[in-house]
């Protein structure tokens, strides 16, 4: 057996354990009774240790060295590249640092759940200081190995191949037009009237409606499920994708669009090539590309006027609301494109969302590169919120720098993926429109041509190419934020 | 760290992986979409291999040897005994034999699913011959190590400490009175009229009723769930017990009593001592004792007139059937104690069930001990069915020796547990009645005193004592089938 083959077998073994981790994680979030949590957490930690051991087995170093001398096909070369990258990311940190960060992160996150409610920055900062410190150490070690800045080395965990140099260019550009655009749109929308659907919308009916939307989006129910959890997510494995949503019986709109968002993640997973199953090269390209699919479904498809026509019809039928103005397509469209400045990222609309991300990006970049201290964060947050959205978060930590879970356990480098996803989605749509009459296709009710494009250009390719190469093959160019800008202007002005 | 402590840590590690196997298994049976099966089966097989490796690690031999020299408390001694027994059972078979049996068993079971429907004994026998052959080899190896007969060595996998010598005595005794008792009861019941509830009983309502019964039986919903699966079972882990049932919308009675049965299994698991969690000594004593708890709930409690009063009231309320004679307590009692001779074990009632088990016991005992050939089984089955229940299964393999899944993959030695469970349940009830006014307690609607007795005498003790010792401590004597006989006569005559 070649060393490449040995690596393949090893990767498939790891994939089997990752499968069990994904299903146990879904179970914990979606169906597990509370009393099961302690034993489950122990069992899942045991599995994590095992997976880490497998990812860092000593003989892998030799195997990679040998495999690189072997004669491989192009796809095998890509596969080797992806396996090696994962291995390097897993092995590069000293065990002590991994453990210390995990411990500090758990402690900080756990306390944060209470501290956030109490707006307790000082208490939080005491724990968070250590998380930042250990994350900086991690970033430095990764940077030394990759030959990048510390922040770029963290970014590479989520967006391999993307640098802060390129993000700086893109985000600086966005900053030149976004605040003004937000103001103009809000001014315009102030003159419009929207009607919020009132009433109690039973969970069972909301679920039925969500399932109809998923069917419309050709979710494969033979390879997946819809369930409920406090924080919606897309989990499971490509052959069995588990998406979740949450229902608010007073708010029909949110869970419906949330379900459409997760369906985008799910179809990417379901569309990954089975021939590469169990291999890193067969997995989703990056967090940004994953988000591009969920946002393609939610923003490019889901909020298009043609799609909203269908959604409004489905909702009218489910809730027997044929004559209610709140359920009209026009009102649905207004509701789903309503722009408001707010403090909270997860509640933000399509237009203001990038401001939340750019703010975080700039802070975490400077923090990891050692240019600012953890102590500077609240003030910087306040300044940037004032500058980008005209809101002050002075002394309002819970709705400022303490609002997200990501930093509590040191996941620095993740935030850019959200806005990269939105930009890629707009760029994909612009390219798709050259080959597919998207409006007509959506109107027809059979979206197969749209999914065929995504399948061909994104899903099937998995991680065979770098993000830049994937985007170039699909759209003829690497990331170009102009498509996103054009999309926003067309939709909101 | 002492060697005993090392063994404890190792056992807890195995328990963590067993936890994940249990949850993934539940998921596969209860919620997984069909398309997820292939990847799931692979992942679970990978986990099985890992668990087997852990159970048979080479250093364990030394650790057990050393630990036996260490100074241990009584509970630690029991714990060591249980760990060693599991280790011996896992290590004694040559790897080739384990793999060959697993392969032959999978093949035979898979083909059986079709062959049974086609009544194809010859096709089945071709595969089954190998399963029997390999099981006989397994039994011989285990017997040589334990110093027992081959069959007793297989029995020890499910009922450690129980011998066929004692089973022979008990079952021979049952055979002297059971056939006659069955005939008398059927004759008596022939004169009674029963009404089968007619209508469509919505799954959601049946589930609500089942949940009410579980609440009544003090199932801990903070540590467990009720779901659906094709074959009802009790799975999960003690901190998170997953029971399942199936609903037939034309038949109200079956799923309700099935849920009560699984609730008995579940409360045993939920009642196991948390101080011994993760250790073999903290697990359920045996299959027979486990079944004694499910049958205590189903037969001793669930079919008692006092309990049926509650059940009938719950069902009347759920289905708004206050005035329907079919829902009266008296009719419910008749329905739940109806006796009929039938071919199929899983459909059998409390009274005829032991006949089905004794028949299987006698055949599998003689088969494992090499006294009969696999070819003899259909004829023996027919003879024994005629003798015990007056039914012929000549040429009717699908309702005869091909009806159960157990033998298809070589699970010889399992069947006695069912009837041992029924007997232990009756014996526990007889003892409980000396301390608790069971009828009054059930009537009161608060069954706490009953559960306190079970908790004290069975659940909390887990595997600290041998089955004989456990039963003796609880009832003052080892297995005594007279209690079962007395119970049946009191209920049915």
């Amino acid at each position: 057996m070649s060393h490449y083959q040995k690596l393949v077998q090893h990767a498939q073994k790891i994939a089997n354990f990752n499968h069990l981790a994904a299903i146990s994680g879904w179970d914990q979030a979606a169906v597990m009774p509370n009393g099961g949590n302690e034993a489950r957490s122990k069992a899942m930690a045991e599995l994590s240790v095992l997976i880490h051991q497998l990812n860092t087995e000593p003989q892998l170093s030799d195997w990679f060295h040998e495999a690189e001398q072997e004669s491989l096909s192009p796809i095998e070369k890509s596969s080797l590249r992806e396996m090696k990258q994962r291995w390097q990311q897993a092995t590069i940190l000293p065990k002590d640092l991994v453990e210390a960060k995990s411990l500090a992160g758990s402690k900080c996150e756990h306390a944060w759940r209470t501290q956030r409610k109490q707006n307790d920055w000082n208490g939080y900062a005491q724990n968070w200081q250590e998380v930042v410190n250990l994350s900086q150490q991690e970033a430095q070690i990764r940077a030394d190995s990759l030959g990048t800045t510390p922040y770029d080395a963290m970014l590479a965990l989520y967006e391999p191949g993307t640098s802060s140099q390129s993000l700086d260019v893109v985000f600086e550009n966005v900053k030149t037009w976004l605040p003004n655009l937000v103001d103009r749109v809000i001014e315009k929308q102030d003159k419009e009237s929207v009607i919020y659907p009132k009433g109690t919308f039973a969970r069972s009916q909301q679920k039925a409606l969500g399932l109809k939307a998923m069917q419309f989006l050709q979710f494969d129910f033979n390879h997946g499920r819809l369930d409920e959890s406090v924080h919606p997510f897309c989990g499971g494995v490509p052959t069995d994708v588990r998406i979740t949503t949450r229902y608010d019986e007073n708010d029909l709109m949110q869970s419906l669009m949330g379900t459409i968002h997760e369906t985008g993640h799910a179809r990417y997973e379901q569309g990954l090539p089975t021939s590469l199953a169990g291999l890193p090269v067969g997995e989703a390209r990056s967090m940004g590309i994953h988000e591009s699919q969920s946002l393609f479904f939610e923003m490019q498809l889901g909020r298009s006027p043609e799609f909203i026509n269908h959604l409004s019809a489905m909702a009218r039928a489910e809730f027997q609301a044929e004559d209610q103005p709140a359920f009209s397509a026009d009102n649905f469209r207004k509701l789903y494109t309503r722009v408001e400045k707010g403090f909270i990222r997860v509640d933000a609309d399509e237009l203001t969302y990038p401001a939340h991300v750019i703010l975080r990006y700039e802070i975490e970049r400077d923090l990891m590169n050692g240019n600012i201290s953890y102590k500077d964060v609240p003030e910087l947050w306040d300044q940037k919120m004032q500058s980008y959205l005209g809101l002050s978060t002075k002394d309002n930590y819970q709705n400022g720098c303490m609002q997200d879970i990501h930093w509590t356990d040191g996941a620095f480098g993740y935030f850019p993926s959200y806005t990269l996803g939105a930009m890629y989605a707009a760029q994909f749509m612009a390219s798709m429109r050259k080959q597919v009459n998207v409006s007509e296709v959506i109107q027809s009710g059979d979206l197969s041509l749209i999914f065929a494009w995504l399948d061909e250009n994104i899903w099937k390719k998995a991680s065979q190419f770098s993000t830049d190469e994937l985007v170039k093959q699909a759209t003829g160019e690497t990331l170009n934020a102009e498509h996103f800008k054009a999309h926003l202007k067309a939709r909101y002005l």
Side-chain angles (χ1 to χ4, degrees), chain A:
Chain A
M1 190 187 296
S2 73
H3 287 87
Y4 172 75
Q5 273 307 323
K6 283 186 191 174
L7 287 166
V8 163
Q9 280 198 354
H10 192 68
Q12 285 166 337
K13 184 175 183 176
I14 294 172
N16 282 329
F17 289 118
N18 279 334
H19 177 136
L20 301 173
I23 294 300
S24 314
W26 169 86
D27 185 278
Q28 190 174 36
V31 297
M32 186 189 74
N34 282 334
N37 195 52
E38 196 185 327
R40 175 66 56 82
S41 298
K42 265 190 211 165
M44 289 178 67
E46 189 84 71
L47 183 59
S48 290
V49 169
L50 173 76
I51 291 170
H52 181 72
Q53 280 169 354
L54 291 170
N55 271 320
T56 57
E57 280 189 0
Q59 74 272 25
L60 292 175
S61 175
D62 280 348
W63 290 4
F64 278 113
H65 186 76
E66 296 289 337
E68 280 169 343
Q69 322 299 320
E70 289 168 359
S71 153
L72 300 177
S73 70
I75 175 84
E76 287 170 337
K77 276 184 192 157
S78 301
S79 176
L80 184 60
R81 179 195 68 218
E82 294 299 319
M83 289 193 287
K84 191 172 178 188
Q85 190 188 33
R86 174 174 309 186
W87 170 70
Q88 284 172 325
Q89 286 178 346
T91 47
I92 194 149
L93 297 184
K95 209 180 154 208
D96 290 353
L97 179 59
V98 173
E99 283 177 8
K101 189 185 169 190
S102 168
L103 215 66
S106 295
K107 187 181 166 193
C108 182
E109 182 193 318
H110 183 77
W112 162 79
R113 295 181 186 275
T114 315
Q115 288 161 342
R116 187 191 170 195
K117 285 179 201 142
Q118 299 166 342
N119 200 39
D120 177 13
W121 164 254
N122 287 330
Y124 176 69
Q126 274 186 343
N127 292 324
W128 195 49
Q129 177 179 10
E130 183 64 5
V131 175
V132 171
N133 173 26
L134 294 165
S135 299
Q136 284 170 334
Q137 290 180 37
E138 175 184 353
Q140 191 58 57
I141 293 169
R142 294 190 184 281
D144 290 344
S145 148
L146 295 176
T148 64
T149 65
Y151 180 70
D152 281 16
M154 297 299 274
L155 188 62
L157 293 171
Y158 312 102
E159 297 299 327
T162 298
S163 68
S164 48
Q165 206 182 6
S166 64
L167 284 182
D168 284 344
V169 172
V170 171
F171 287 168
E172 283 304 321
N173 176 293
V174 173
K175 279 159 67 179
T176 62
W177 50 263
L178 188 69
N180 181 260
L181 180 59
V182 169
D183 286 336
R184 284 172 65 195
V185 171
I186 289 177
E187 203 188 316
K188 178 182 167 232
Q189 291 189 348
D190 269 348
K191 294 165 203 147
E192 297 173 358
S193 67
V194 288
I195 314 163
Y196 291 88
K198 287 228 171 75
T200 306
F201 305 103
R203 279 168 56 202
S204 59
Q205 284 183 287
Q206 289 198 52
K207 179 163 186 180
L209 180 58
L211 289 171
K212 262 184 214 154
M214 287 168 73
Q215 254 156 5
F216 190 78
L217 292 165
Q218 302 182 15
F219 179 94
D220 180 355
F221 286 94
N222 190 40
H223 289 103
R225 293 175 52 97
L226 169 68
D227 293 275
E228 287 177 56
S229 70
V230 178
H231 302 286
F233 67 97
C234 170
V237 293
T239 52
D240 182 4
V241 182
R242 306 287 173 93
I243 69 173
T244 67
T245 190
R246 63 178 156 218
Y247 302 107
D248 176 346
E249 296 209 326
N250 299 313
D251 180 2
L252 171 64
M253 310 301 282
Q254 214 181 348
S255 121
L256 180 57
M257 201 49 88
T259 303
I260 291 170
H261 179 96
E262 300 304 335
T263 301
H265 282 305
R267 290 227 52 200
Y268 186 13
E269 289 288 318
Q270 291 181 336
L272 291 168
T274 51
S275 61
L276 301 178
L279 297 175
V281 73
E283 294 181 9
R285 177 59 278 181
S286 73
M287 298 311 299
I289 297 297
H290 227 309
E291 199 68 14
S292 81
Q293 298 309 291
S294 55
L295 291 176
F296 191 95
F297 275 57
E298 179 187 349
M299 300 300 180
Q300 300 297 327
L301 295 180
R303 283 178 160 81
S304 71
E306 300 83 3
F307 195 93
I308 284 179
N309 285 341
H310 291 293
L311 270 193
S312 136
M314 288 178 204
R316 287 199 306 272
E318 183 62 42
F319 291 99
Q320 286 147 359
E322 284 303 338
D323 308 328
Q324 292 185 34
F327 281 75
S328 73
D330 187 55
N331 189 59
F332 259 41
R333 188 189 51 72
K334 285 181 187 162
L335 284 167
Y336 274 135
T337 53
R338 194 78 187 161
V339 174
E340 262 173 290
K341 293 177 182 179
F343 291 111
I344 306 299
R345 177 185 58 84
V346 296
D347 295 337
D349 52 74
E350 184 180 22
L351 193 61
T352 57
Y353 204 105
H356 294 273
V357 166
I358 294 170
L359 173 160
R360 286 159 176 76
Y361 161 71
E362 290 172 339
I363 292 175
E364 67 178 14
R365 177 198 59 198
D366 293 350
L367 199 57
M368 284 303 103
N369 288 339
N371 300 330
I372 59 171
S373 152
Y374 73 94
K375 289 185 207 158
D376 304 327
V377 171
E379 202 188 317
L380 283 167
W381 194 287
D382 180 43
Q383 283 171 13
K384 288 173 191 290
M385 273 303 273
Q386 300 228 31
S387 162
Y388 306 157
L389 289 176
L391 298 172
S392 169
T393 59
K394 194 162 158 40
D395 300 332
N396 186 356
Y397 309 102
Q398 63 190 158
N399 296 322
C401 65
M402 282 177 70
Q403 70 182 267
D404 297 303
I405 197 172
H406 304 57
W407 288 348
T408 66
D409 59 0
F412 297 100
Y414 190 107
F415 282 120
S417 303
Y418 295 114
T419 289
L420 285 172
M423 290 174 170
Y424 287 132
Q427 189 165 336
F428 293 149
M429 180 55 102
S431 278
M432 188 187 291
R433 284 194 195 280
K434 293 176 193 161
Q435 293 167 41
V436 181
N437 188 330
V438 172
S439 305
E440 262 186 40
V441 164
I442 301 178
Q443 222 144 11
S444 79
D446 177 357
L447 278 61
S448 300
L449 284 173
I450 291 170
F451 301 134
W453 192 96
L454 293 172
D455 188 46
E456 186 67 22
N457 288 284
I458 315 293
W459 303 344
K460 258 195 203 139
K461 294 191 173 171
S463 287
Q464 291 185 58
F465 310 102
S466 70
T467 304
D468 272 359
E469 183 58 31
L470 176 81
V471 174
K472 215 168 156 184
Q473 286 181 16
T475 69
E477 56 184 341
T478 55
L479 179 64
N480 178 353
E482 289 302 315
H483 300 291
F484 183 52
K485 183 177 171 187
H487 158 72
L488 293 178
K489 285 192 166 175
R491 173 166 293 171
Y492 290 95
L493 279 185

